[in-house]
Amino acid sequence: MKRLILILGIITTITLFSCDGISINAKSLENFIPDNASTIYKINNLSNLSQDARSNDLYNKTKPHKLELVLNSAFFKELNTSSPSLVAFTGDQDDFIFTTKNHPKLIQLDSLTDKLVETLKLKTREIKKITIKEEVTFIAEQDSFSIISNSQKALIDLFNGKTLKHSSFTKLYDTNIFEGLSLYKRRYSTEQSGIITNDTKRKEVWTLHNLTLLPDGIISKGIIKESDSLQFYATFKGQLAQPVDFIFDLPSEISSAKMYTYSDAPLFFNRLNRPVRDSLKTPTTPFLETTSHMVDLDFEGSQVFTFKSIDAEMSSNELALLANESTNYREVKLYIVTDPSFLDKQLFGITVRPKNTVFQINNQVVFTETESVAQTYIAAIKSNDVLGKSRNVQEALVSLSNTASLLTISTKKDVHANISNILGDYKGDSGAYQTIKNYPIAISQMTYDRDFAHFNFVCKEATKKAQKSIGVSEIASLSLEQPALSYPNFFYDYKTKSNNIVVQDIENVLHLFAPNGKKLWSKKLSNPILGKVNEIDLNKNGRKQLAFNTKNGFFVIDRNGNDVAPFPINFKDEITQPVAVFDYDNNRKYRFVIVQGKEILMYDKEAKIVKGFTYTKSNTNIVLAPQHIRMSNKDYLLFAEKNGKLNILSRTGKPRVNVSKTFDFENQPFYKEGIDFVLITRNKEKISISQNGKISTNKSTTDGDYYFSSLGETSVSLADNMLKIKRKYIELPFGFYTKPILFKYGGEGYVSITETQEKKVYLYDFNGNLKKGFPVFGNGQASLSYRNKNLYIAVNGDNNEILLYRF
């Protein structure tokens, strides 16, 4: 009975799918491509491709792929061919035709037990139907070729002469000498690059991708061939491709970017707006004629357009006709666009949401939907948080051309979508795409050349070096109601194990912020804080406090802003110097030194006077905050007087070093360098004093500012714009700089310095190397802290903001 059913099935097949004759010209592989093929792969060696696919992490993370219908097929795993092959998929279906050279050992099924082989007889040929584990494959022969398909109908249609005949494809195929995996795709004008056209007739566009599956990614080089010169890519006809390095100036935290380049702006925008066959021309706004690059960005969930200006002054003059000045942000003027639909009217072929804000920064003219997005964009540029600092971008561009007509950057889920597209898969639901771990970015570029365009694509795994070398990023902008009075300080929160930021504003209000920008509390003080806010651990339990003084009080407060008993201590007489906090043996047995002109008061943690300290009054006013320096296992306390006398005392306040000379003290701390004490005078003299009182002088030749700092074995000086770290000299741009701040944690040491006119914060290591991503935007002295394997930098920003960076 079973045998009878099988025979009847074959008879039915003959009736429905009879072949009237062979009209196929079987000279080469490309003669066996169905006329409705949309995706065609040329495979140089099927076995090698299978191995490359299995070892390619990116390929496997973005499955399923159309190629898997072949590579993962039970039938094709038994196929023995090293000859070039073609596999063509029809339409948007999974039906395919696979063609390769025939030979006696091409198909060896003897070892398989779960198989069924049937012969379907047509009028002029036979087709074998092979079933393996419910997977059905059809195979026929034509001259020296074997033609294999998963669809009997597709195979019959092919032998009935429904083969591909398209000159654009033929030119691409005949000129391609790549020996690897080549992908040919047929698309139509309405599917190209998100461009809207007025043409109702669909025009074919053939693309060729020569794909290389690397162990660490996928690269492609190919050609886009147009069957009609009126296609979108012809927008670039007559244009010289421009350098792609403008992308280096874009914020690093973009989701996607599409950059258009042009050498003749009027011609480019006219062709973009209307089909070239249309004799009517849309006048180009003069502003656009001052540009050479246009970038459509997805930034902060908002659409941003930025243009590269070829003449900043000309662009500015033309912008004045389009917008009105509104406000400033970080020294950048923001303008309100008088007609938010301005760009939409000029860029007819591109979807443009209304743009309300525009500004110029460096060589960019940027249009944003809101002022908030504009501020975030400016913050990224000012902080140097740009793609040019991304090692992932730098490594990707090695595989690409230095110039292009069109360049596209994809990140996150768009990387997955691009890989699926570049491998010839269906468009699919965008919700199916996922962010691919270790593959942060994909870049493609197109360069127009007469009636075709060159295409390049790269997506590679982020190297360990790139992953570790992220550089600096702004992680928070803290807003004050009033401008900051002093520079911010870090304060460790034992509960959250994070570095909070403490700062006082000009209304004498002390604020504590969490690293995410949330204000934790505010505390009104009667006067400004003198000097910095100190971090102490009064109870030796890790629950730290803030210690500081104003001119009439000494305060210790906890993480919640509450006073810690028995503090504060209030004073009738004015305190004239910042409180000095001494911790002689690093055992948190603190001594707090308060200076009131000539009077010196030393308190313990119980807010009681330390009776054993005898230096309670100087001859003249103390002009610098007292300091403790430990050297050669001895403690030295330093007090500088207005009359030029330097008192170097023991813990008890008795003279320990006799200093024979007097000095005109500069407002700089004392430092230890080697086995000497170092001070700087107003005459820019560096004075070194040994432990036995020997004095040596080194006069700086600079007429400008001179600073000196040291920490451990590292000494740093700044004379005008010449920074010296250890023995390395670094020439900084001319400007006005804050004193160098030295910070060390574990084996890492850093030097921070800020140029106050351009508002740039520099960070060097102790070897004199500028760290990745610096300088960043900042105003005034920066504070540094280390937590969770990251360096944090807090600095005043513009107006009423505090900026927090992570490195």
Side-chain angles (χ1 to χ4, degrees), residues 541-603:
N541 59 4
R543 300 182 177 187
K544 297 186 177 183
Q545 302 87 31
L546 301 167
F548 57 88
N549 70 288
T550 65
K551 69 177 182 178
N552 57 6
F554 172 56
F555 301 83
V556 177
I557 60 177
D558 64 18
R559 63 182 294 273
N560 296 315
N562 300 317
D563 292 328
V564 177
F567 301 94
I569 305 173
N570 296 311
F571 298 87
K572 291 182 180 180
D573 296 329
E574 183 178 344
I575 301 173
T576 55
Q577 294 296 331
V579 62
V581 180
F582 296 164
D583 184 8
Y584 298 127
D585 300 312
N586 292 321
N587 60 2
R588 291 168 285 185
K589 190 176 179 180
Y590 299 107
R591 296 292 184 261
F592 306 108
V593 183
I594 298 294
V595 174
Q596 295 177 304
K598 301 176 186 178
E599 304 292 330
I600 298 105
L601 304 170
M602 181 178 284
Y603 292 90

Side-chain angles (χ1 to χ4, degrees), residues 24 208 320 392 395 465 536 699 727 754:
I24 193 169
L208 163 64
N392 293 319
E395 292 180 353
K465 186 175 182 181
I536 63 173
K699 182 73 166 66
R727 296 184 178 181
T754 303

Side-chain angles (χ1 to χ4, degrees), residues 412-478:
K412 301 175 184 176
K413 292 183 180 181
D414 287 340
V415 173
H416 190 173
N418 271 267
I419 293 299
S420 294
N421 181 55
I422 208 73
L423 289 174
D425 300 314
Y426 346 90
K427 297 175 183 177
D429 182 3
S430 60
Y433 297 126
Q434 303 293 328
T435 298
I436 310 171
K437 185 178 180 181
N438 297 335
Y439 295 88
I441 193 168
I443 303 179
S444 60
Q445 63 177 190
M446 181 278 295
T447 303
Y448 186 83
D449 187 357
R450 298 185 299 277
D451 61 343
F452 66 93
H454 300 281
F455 177 86
N456 294 313
F457 172 87
V458 60
C459 181
K460 300 186 75 174
E461 183 178 15
T463 63
K464 290 183 178 180
K465 186 175 182 181
Q467 293 180 48
K468 291 180 179 179
S469 184
I470 298 174
V472 64
S473 60
E474 181 183 323
I475 61 172
S477 174
L478 320 179

Side-chain angles (χ1 to χ4, degrees), residues 231-381:
Q231 297 295 324
F232 161 68
Y233 292 109
T235 303
F236 298 94
K237 186 176 183 179
Q239 306 289 337
L240 296 177
Q242 300 297 301
V244 299
D245 56 2
F246 183 52
I247 67 167
F248 291 154
D249 300 332
L250 305 181
S252 62
E253 294 300 318
I254 62 171
S255 296
S256 64
K258 184 175 290 184
M259 180 173 73
Y260 308 78
T261 80
Y262 38 89
S263 56
D264 185 336
L267 178 62
F268 173 79
F269 287 105
N270 182 64
R271 282 186 169 156
L272 185 64
N273 290 340
R274 293 178 180 274
V276 293
R277 67 165 178 262
D278 193 335
S279 59
L280 297 175
K281 294 186 177 182
T282 303
T284 302
T285 298
F287 157 71
L288 295 176
E289 297 180 10
T290 69
T291 68
S292 60
H293 297 62
M294 177 179 71
V295 189
D296 182 356
L297 293 168
D298 183 348
F299 177 72
E300 292 287 307
S302 178
Q303 186 187 47
V304 174
F305 269 85
T306 181
F307 295 82
K308 180 180 181 180
S309 172
I310 57 178
D311 188 312
E313 185 176 354
M314 288 176 60
S315 295
S316 179
N317 292 337
E318 296 301 334
L319 271 183
L321 304 176
L322 303 172
N324 299 315
E325 186 173 348
S326 172
T327 185
N328 282 4
Y329 181 73
R330 296 195 186 180
E331 301 184 324
V332 176
K333 293 181 179 179
L334 300 180
Y335 297 83
I336 298 175
V337 181
T338 53
D339 180 5
S341 61
F342 154 71
L343 280 181
D344 186 44
K345 295 174 181 177
Q346 288 293 308
L347 308 176
F348 175 78
I350 301 175
T351 301
V352 184
R353 295 196 290 269
K355 299 293 177 284
N356 297 292
T357 304
V358 63
F359 59 91
Q360 278 186 275
I361 184 167
N362 301 332
N363 62 344
Q364 297 188 57
V365 179
V366 187
F367 291 82
T368 64
E369 295 181 53
T370 65
E371 185 175 309
S372 174
V373 172
Q375 291 178 351
T376 305
Y377 194 102
I378 293 168
I381 303 301

